[in-house]
């Protein structure tokens, strides 16, 4: 069963207990296309009642799903990967229309999510626990991994397809059932598509449920998800401010929450780095997906001897990139997600300029497109000097010593990803070890990520780890002991 096709703009339904349904009162909201500003889709505007039914369905589906054998579970994930691959071209277009993602990033996401599904297909065969030594003679002790139950997934809009799947795949592969609440900015690509693919693959009804809500109406949905006793854990990807608020809510109910949050990712170019490659890497890392990836480079720190030459080439390259209609495959970058995002990015640039920064490339917007922008002389008082501005804006700064580079790189509350460029790999590895960052890439961009890596940040960037480490987040470790002899007791 799939979401029924309708006329343009398509009217979508949401997935609850294996049924494609509208909101109870039939209300929908308009999902706008970032580039054209036209209505892309009509989406159910749900609230507490629909969310509760989704939780109930996931709760009912849990025992049978948790008990399903490894071979059957594996086959479903492999089938879902095949469906995603088959639908790649259509989904790339949907991402352009709904989220403004241009083809290079959308194709990457399809490939990434396909890999994630295929790798998760192996999870059911991973060791389900460990044998633990016991000091008591004749006692055999086992630490067994068990699924938690219902997990609520909350996904962002920016890497919609990849992160929508990341929100559900590890929890499902560990034997949990899921209620997915996608971003209101990408309810199709970060939510309903997951529902379509998972149900077409044949996952049993209720194993994955997807509930959508209108902008500004997350409250009743979130209240059900955070007050329900049946929801055992949360998988959240989004901004650090939302993550902090949701961690407090989860903490009040003593529940765990996986947090993948914002970033302010430094790239350090040491004096012995290959200049052209460093420039190529910085251009990609700063401007891919128009700077709307948590791992985009926000600050490039360049050793003083290379600074002027780096800047000249980097600025020329940045100025040559033109954002445009993301559904035209010739455009490598597209618009920002909405007008608020454009206003926030432009305000960040203007504040910095007001405090003495200079714009060497870009600095202007047209419609929802913002030109790739290079700033220098940004003083520490400008918020953009250490806070995430989610757009194609990067700061370039010189440094005179490696310690200064490390101090500047660490002068942010975030700690997601960093990169160090150098001809001396071990020097770069040693310096990278001093960076407060969940991920350090030597001679590569801050951006990247493959499904199997321990993706995740430190500090305000969160604490979740994906790849097979996600199994720790989405299972309980249960101790089971067997006494092979009659035990002697002191009473
Ligand atoms: P956001 O925090 O605004 O929204 C994320 C999700 O949280 C959405 O589904 C939204 O509806 C939901 N949400 C918002 N308020 C809520 C509330 N009160 N209760 C329950 N849910 C609520 O973030 P965004 O704008 O969608 O995404 C961009 C941010 O996400 C950036 O900061 C980016 O760096 C970060 N991000 C991090 C990673 C990572 O893996 N570390 C990946 C992608 C994006």
């Amino acid at each position: 069963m799939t979401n029924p096709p309708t006329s343009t703009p398509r009217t979508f339904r949401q997935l609850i207990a294996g049924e494609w349904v509208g909101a109870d009162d039939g209300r929908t909201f308009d999902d706008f296309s970032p580039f054209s500003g036209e209505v892309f889709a009509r989406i159910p505007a749900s609230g507490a009642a629909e969310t509760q039914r989704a939780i109930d369905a996931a709760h009912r589906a849990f025992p049978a799903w948790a008990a399903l054998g490894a071979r059957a579970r594996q086959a479903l994930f492999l089938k879902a990967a095949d469906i995603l691959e088959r639908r790649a071209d259509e989904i790339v277009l949907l991402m352009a229309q709904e989220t403004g993602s241009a083809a290079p990033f959308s194709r990457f996401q399809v490939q990434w999510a396909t890999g994630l599904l295929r790798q998760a297909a192996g999870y059911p065969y991973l060791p389900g626990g460990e044998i633990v030594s016991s000091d008591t003679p004749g006692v055999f002790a086992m630490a067994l991994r068990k699924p938690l139950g219902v997990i609520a997934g909350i996904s962002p809009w920016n890497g919609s397809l990849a992160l929508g799947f990341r929100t559900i795949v590890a929890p499902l592969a560990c034997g949990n059932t899921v209620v997915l609440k996608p971003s209101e900015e990408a309810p199709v690509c970060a939510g309903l598509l997951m529902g379509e693919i998972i149900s077409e693959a044949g996952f049993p009804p209720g194993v994955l449920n997807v509930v959508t809500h209108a902008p500004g109406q997350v409250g009743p949905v979130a209240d059900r998800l955070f007050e329900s006793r049946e929801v055992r854990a949360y998988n959240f990807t989004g901004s650090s401010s939302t993550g902090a608020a949701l961690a407090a809510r989860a903490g009040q109910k003593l529940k765990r929450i996986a947090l993948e949050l914002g970033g302010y990712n430094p790239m350090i170019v040491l004096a012995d780095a290959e200049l052209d490659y460093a420039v190529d890497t910085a251009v990609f890392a700063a401007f891919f997906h128009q700077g709307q990836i948590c791992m985009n480079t926000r600050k490039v720190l360049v050793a003083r001897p290379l600074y002027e030459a780096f800047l000249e080439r980097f600025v020329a390259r940045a100025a040559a990139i033109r954002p445009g209609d993301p559904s035209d495959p010739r455009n490598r970058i597209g618009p920002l997600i909405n007008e608020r995002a454009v206003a926030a990015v432009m305000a960040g640039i203007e504040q910095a300029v007001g405090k003495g920064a200079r714009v060497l490339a870009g600095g202007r917007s047209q419609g929802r497109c913002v030109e790739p922008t290079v700033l220098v002389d940004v003083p520490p008082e400008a918020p953009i000097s250490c806070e995430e501005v989610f757009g194609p804006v990067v700061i370039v700064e010189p440094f005179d010593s490696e310690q200064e580079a490390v101090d500047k790189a660490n002068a942010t509350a975030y700690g997601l990803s960093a990169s160090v460029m150098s001809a001396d790999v071990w020097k770069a590895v040693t310096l990278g070890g001093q960076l407060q960052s969940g991920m350090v890439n030597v001679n590569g961009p801050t951006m990247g990520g493959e499904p199997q890596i321990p993706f995740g940040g430190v500090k305000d960037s969160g604490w979740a780890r994906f790849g097979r480490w996600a199994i720790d987040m989405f299972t309980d470790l249960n101790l089971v002991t067997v006494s092979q002899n009659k035990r002697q007791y002191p009473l």
Side-chain angles (χ1 to χ4, degrees):
M1 195 180 200
T2 59
N3 222 326
T6 49
S7 56
T8 310
R10 268 179 75 184
T11 299
F12 282 79
R13 295 181 190 160
Q14 61 196 340
L15 181 64
I16 300 177
E19 302 287 332
W20 289 99
V21 294
D24 285 359
D25 57 7
R27 272 195 322 129
T28 61
F29 72 94
D30 291 339
D31 181 11
F32 293 97
S33 194
F35 186 75
S36 68
E38 287 166 8
V39 178
F40 155 74
R42 299 215 158 84
I43 306 291
S46 294
E50 297 89 334
T51 309
Q52 186 59 53
R53 277 206 305 287
I55 295 170
D56 294 343
H59 186 56
R60 280 196 307 275
F62 173 66
W65 177 244
L68 193 67
R71 185 166 48 184
R73 216 187 287 163
Q74 180 179 60
L76 292 171
F77 283 98
L78 293 176
K79 182 125 187 253
D82 291 346
I83 295 167
L84 176 56
E85 217 161 45
R86 189 194 77 218
R87 292 184 61 181
D89 290 347
E90 170 214 347
I91 287 174
V92 165
L93 188 58
L94 286 175
M95 277 193 271
Q97 291 169 333
E98 189 184 42
T99 72
S101 173
F105 185 47
S106 300
R107 297 247 168 239
F108 167 80
Q109 290 191 65
V110 172
Q111 184 197 353
W112 189 95
T114 309
L116 177 75
L117 286 161
R118 294 209 168 112
Q119 288 169 21
Y123 283 15
Y125 283 108
L126 289 177
E130 295 173 44
I131 307 298
V132 183
S133 296
S134 170
D135 287 337
T136 311
V139 167
F140 187 76
M142 296 167 277
L144 301 181
R145 293 239 157 249
K146 288 174 65 177
L148 302 173
V150 180
I151 293 186
I154 300 177
S155 60
W157 54 266
N158 67 325
S160 56
L161 187 86
L163 300 175
F165 272 110
R166 192 178 73 181
T167 303
I168 64 163
V169 165
L172 291 176
C174 290
N176 304 286
T177 53
V178 173
V179 177
L180 171 63
K181 187 218 80 62
S183 166
E184 55 276 49
E185 298 288 352
V188 176
C189 295
L192 298 171
L193 274 181
M194 282 85 244
E196 289 186 3
I197 289 167
I198 289 292
S199 41
E200 188 185 337
F203 284 66
V207 167
L208 173 67
N209 306 272
V210 186
V211 179
T212 55
H213 64 86
Q217 301 294 315
V218 71
V221 175
D223 287 351
R224 285 316 313 135
L225 294 176
F226 281 85
E227 281 160 20
S228 161
R229 290 181 70 82
E230 270 72 45
V231 176
R232 288 284 319 281
Y234 303 89
N235 187 10
F236 175 78
T237 301
S239 61
S240 298
S241 55
T242 307
L246 298 185
R249 287 197 84 168
Q252 277 180 340
K253 301 277 183 187
L254 301 175
K255 292 182 192 173
R256 69 181 80 162
I257 178 167
L259 294 174
E260 285 288 4
L261 309 177
Y264 190 90
N265 311 294
M267 170 176 171
I268 297 176
V269 182
L270 296 179
D272 61 359
E274 192 188 316
L275 186 60
D276 284 333
Y277 178 58
V279 170
D280 288 349
T281 305
V283 167
F284 167 71
F287 302 126
F288 199 50
H289 196 38
Q290 46 279 17
Q292 297 176 116
I293 300 176
C294 53
M295 295 171 285
N296 280 117
T297 296
R298 304 294 175 197
K299 192 177 277 186
V300 187
L301 299 160
V302 186
R304 182 83 64 185
L306 285 187
Y307 181 66
E308 290 302 334
F310 177 92
L311 208 50
E312 191 184 329
R313 293 180 204 195
F314 183 59
V315 165
R317 291 283 306 280
I321 303 171
R322 294 261 160 260
D325 182 348
S327 45
D328 180 339
R330 287 168 303 182
N331 290 324
R332 315 310 280 169
I333 70 170
L336 300 197
I337 188 72
N338 55 34
E339 269 138 30
R340 280 191 321 283
V342 175
V345 169
M346 296 310 291
I349 297 170
E350 281 155 25
Q351 278 171 336
V353 169
K355 293 182 187 299
R358 289 184 297 133
V359 178
L360 297 192
R364 291 174 306 184
S365 64
Q366 189 174 15
R368 292 190 185 149
C369 291
V370 174
E371 293 172 346
T373 299
V374 179
L375 298 177
V376 293
D377 301 336
V378 177
E381 309 83 73
I384 203 171
S385 73
C386 63
E387 288 171 17
E388 181 184 52
V389 166
F390 220 48
V393 184
V394 66
I395 295 168
V396 185
E397 270 179 35
F399 65 84
D400 291 304
S401 71
E402 286 169 14
Q403 188 58 51
E404 185 189 351
V406 168
D407 292 344
K408 284 184 161 174
N410 287 338
T412 168
Y414 296 101
L416 188 59
S417 185
S419 89
V420 186
M421 309 296 287
S422 172
D424 183 340
V425 165
W426 288 112
K427 184 166 67 175
V429 168
T430 307
L431 187 141
Q434 298 175 62
L435 301 178
Q436 296 161 351
S437 179
M439 300 176 281
V440 176
N441 301 295
V442 171
N443 291 334
T446 54
M447 230 162 34
E450 298 175 20
Q452 75 282 10
I453 63 164
F455 187 102
V458 298
K459 296 160 69 184
D460 285 8
S461 295
W463 54 63
R465 289 294 177 274
F466 283 90
R468 68 184 157 78
W469 295 269
I471 295 171
D472 293 351
M473 299 191 295
F474 302 120
T475 56
D476 275 329
L477 196 59
N478 274 162
L479 175 69
V480 177
T481 67
V482 178
S483 298
Q484 298 171 89
N485 307 323
K486 286 191 177 158
R487 312 248 305 257
Q488 302 296 313
Y489 306 112
L491 283 184

